[in-house]
Amino acid sequence: MTGAGSFAIGTLSAALIFCSPVRAQDSDSDRLIALMRIGDTVEIMREEGLRYGAEIGAEMLPDVSPDDWNRTVSRIYDAEKMEAVITQGFESALDGEDVAPLVSFFESDLGKEIIGLEIDAREAFLSEETELAAIDAYQDAQDQQTELFKQVETIIADSDLVEYNVMGAMNANLMFYRGLADGGAIDLGESDMLADVWAQESSIRAESEAWLGSFLMTAYRPLQAQELASYAELYRTAEGRVLNTAVFNAYDRMYDEISYLLGQAVAEHMRSEEL
């Protein structure tokens, strides 16, 4: 599933026969990565990141020129580098795995439609008004226990999406603290940083649950119940579980790197203010 809220959500395709089985596997992995449209997702994540970075600047660097800080954030959220990190993460996670069934699914009309719906929903959530309306709709569906709500909740539970998102968010926050500390902006040891991150766990979990439910309901609303059931079934297979893990590992790696760089950048700007 394509996703990282402020953190990453992952994307939940007939193999060609070559003389070398290694080359065939590599070909399937490359095709799967292309079918998941990482570049399109990264462009949206960059927009999310620019907004998030601006919020950090307003909160932590009130005396720094917004234009100067925004240029720094723009350099950190470099779409080409972001896509490279994610792609490398996928390639590493999928190395040696049989992804031909995944290629077959995502090459199908339904697979392509699902990826497109996920990307469209994520782009729509760039509007705060749209996101808040989606959260309200999700809560209404929860009260009514609609069929779509139940299917989405099953998908979330089957793939441990809340746990993956909470873990990813907390790791990214820890990396931000490490960037601040290494840059000299805060004087906290690792245990203190970990304690502060864990203190945020309950709020991160609540936000993740609301965001995931509203996002997936928005994305999958156009699908027929059986189509969504087929997609959910994919992630119950061994190949689907491999993909689910690969998605989160790849996107979390990107967010960890960016979070650390943001922390360092905040520290650098704080030092500049002091001078």
Side-chain angles (χ1 to χ4, degrees), residues 13-27:
S13 318
L16 299 174
I17 299 176
F18 293 90
C19 295
S20 165
V22 174
R23 289 187 60 196
Q25 185 67 57
D26 289 344
S27 178

Side-chain angles (χ1 to χ4, degrees), residues 111-204:
K112 292 177 181 177
E113 180 183 8
I114 287 171
I115 292 297
L117 289 172
E118 290 173 348
I119 291 173
D120 289 346
R122 184 122 190 189
E123 185 173 22
F125 270 37
L126 289 173
S127 163
E128 183 178 2
E129 182 179 352
T130 297
E131 182 176 350
L132 292 176
I135 292 174
D136 287 341
Y138 167 71
Q139 293 171 339
D140 288 342
Q142 183 177 30
D143 293 338
Q144 300 169 24
Q145 289 292 297
T146 65
E147 181 176 16
L148 177 58
F149 170 81
K150 292 178 181 178
Q151 285 190 292
V152 165
E153 289 299 291
T154 297
I155 289 172
I156 290 172
D158 284 350
S159 296
D160 289 327
L161 297 186
V162 172
E163 296 305 321
Y164 273 117
N165 274 271
V166 170
M167 178 177 63
M170 292 176 67
N171 285 339
N173 287 353
L174 178 61
M175 293 301 293
F176 181 74
Y177 281 131
R178 286 175 177 169
L180 286 172
D182 290 348
I186 58 175
D187 184 18
L188 289 178
E190 187 76 4
S191 61
D192 293 323
M193 289 187 282
L194 284 169
D196 196 72
V197 168
W198 273 106
Q200 304 167 30
E201 192 270 348
S202 60
S203 61
I204 291 174

